[in-house]
Amino acid sequence: MPELPEVETTRLGLIAHVVGHRVRDVVVRDARLRWPVPRDLGRRLAGADEIRAIRRRGKYLLFDMSGGSLLVHLGMSGHLTLVPSATAPALHDHVDIGLDSAQALRLNDPRRFGAMLWLRDPVERHALLSDLGLEPFDGQFTGAWLHAKARGRRVPVKHFIMNSHVVTGIGNIYAAEALFRARIHPLRAAGRIGLARYERLARAIRETLSDALAAGGTTLRDYVASDGRPGGFQNSACVYGREGEPCPACGAPIRCARQGNRSTFYCASCQR
DNA sequence: CCGGACGCCTGTCGGC
DNA sequence: TGCCGACAGGCGTCCG
């Protein structure tokens, strides 16, 4: 499940191979992603100049070109890899973006929750990006900011920090891990948590994401980086997917609760 | 505005 | 062995 560390690992792995190159051709084998891949994507990309930069906003990747940007979202099961241009496609290899370097950027996404769209300038005004919350590594993202934002909210704090209109890049895995580090119960109402605990949470979110980034992200099932290699953070997870195992801090068994359609993992003795 | 439910999608797994 | 339901879950959308 690509969250901020997986998307950022993908971005970092692609920069050296993609920036400064032009798109030669685009092959869409299956346009049925979250939204249809635009029919004119090939014309747009091949008609633009070279890819100037790759940016990340939340879980979105933006490949900046003249006149607009290619937006990519990996959804739940997507990954972007670089392959030699002639590489035969495998199952769920939906889109190839052929570069002038004899390599292709290949999107594989079994569940097709991902997206590939062309965004005209100014990109930030697009509906998908305009209402996004703060980046966790933005200097404005502090405990005080979170505390103010949570005022009056009755939603469980785990949902609150997974809401991309509040703070971007945090999904089910890192939300659970950050709340464990901050020793906050995932079901506690967001508006009923004090400033000091939000300071702890903001710090825990940044530490968790930094550690995961250093490990190359988390691979539970589908995720691989742009070179095809899996991440390593799954071995460092304290609570996610560890129901019944002893809490690394106190030894009590990790619990699993269901919130709507999602599982949440926590230590009932450490997290209050 | 807020919160909760729903739908999209495929692969995997446990139970019978 | 095959069938079936549950589950994985990001996020836009809809509804009360």
Side-chain angles (χ1 to χ4, degrees):
Chain A
M1 304 99 206
E3 304 180 32
L4 186 151
E6 292 75 30
V7 178
E8 183 67 7
T9 300
T10 299
R11 187 183 79 87
L12 294 173
L14 290 177
I15 288 174
H17 302 274
V18 169
V19 172
H21 289 281
R22 296 183 70 119
V23 172
R24 184 176 286 167
D25 58 354
V26 174
V27 177
V28 180
R29 296 184 196 84
D30 193 341
R32 298 171 303 160
L33 301 185
R34 170 112 218 239
W35 299 283
V37 178
R39 291 176 175 279
D40 62 355
L41 187 67
R43 254 174 293 149
R44 296 256 188 226
L45 299 188
D49 60 7
E50 82 279 355
I51 296 166
R52 294 171 179 168
I54 314 177
R55 287 184 291 152
R56 182 188 57 73
R57 179 72 174 99
K59 297 175 188 170
Y60 295 99
L61 285 173
L62 295 164
F63 296 76
D64 291 335
M65 305 174 77
S66 53
S69 300
L70 171 70
L71 173 143
V72 178
H73 194 287
L74 299 176
M76 236 205 67
S77 58
H79 54 85
L80 265 183
T81 50
L82 277 163
V83 298
S85 304
T87 309
L91 187 65
H92 304 310
D93 282 343
H94 303 313
V95 183
D96 280 2
I97 295 175
L99 304 175
D100 60 11
S101 58
Q103 285 194 302
L105 198 52
R106 177 167 280 181
L107 177 70
N108 178 287
D109 184 5
R111 268 156 272 195
R112 293 194 271 120
F113 280 10
M116 196 172 260
L117 298 172
W118 174 255
L119 271 53
R120 288 169 195 273
D121 284 330
V123 163
E124 272 71 16
R125 210 170 290 169
H126 191 277
L128 288 175
L129 303 177
S130 60
D131 292 328
L132 287 179
L134 289 181
E135 290 287 328
F137 294 103
D138 185 323
Q140 281 183 269
F141 179 73
T142 61
W145 183 87
L146 264 182
H147 182 246
K149 192 85 177 167
R151 197 184 179 93
R153 302 285 297 270
R154 283 170 298 178
V155 69
V157 64
K158 178 151 171 285
H159 281 175
F160 180 66
I161 62 170
M162 286 173 66
N163 182 346
S164 64
H165 301 287
V166 174
V167 53
T168 59
I170 304 168
N172 202 34
I173 299 171
Y174 299 121
E177 294 300 314
L179 287 164
F180 173 76
R181 279 199 204 208
R183 305 194 304 280
I184 297 170
H185 197 291
L187 301 182
R188 179 173 284 274
R192 302 196 55 183
I193 294 171
L195 176 58
R197 312 185 85 213
Y198 268 121
E199 297 286 7
R200 221 159 66 202
L201 181 56
R203 200 158 48 238
I205 287 170
R206 280 192 291 263
E207 287 172 2
T208 302
L209 296 176
S210 298
D211 289 355
L213 193 51
T218 299
T219 296
L220 295 179
R221 192 165 286 173
D222 302 288
Y223 170 75
V224 293
S226 60
D227 57 5
R229 293 166 61 169
F233 188 76
Q234 60 278 8
N235 305 311
S236 310
C238 291
V239 291
Y240 186 85
R242 298 195 183 275
E243 182 179 14
E245 293 182 33
C247 165
C250 77
I254 299 299
R255 293 208 201 168
C256 177
R258 297 200 56 81
Q259 287 176 282
N261 275 336
R262 285 208 185 87
S263 296
T264 195
F265 299 89
Y266 64 101
C267 172
S269 119
C270 292
Q271 294 174 253
R272 301 285 174 175

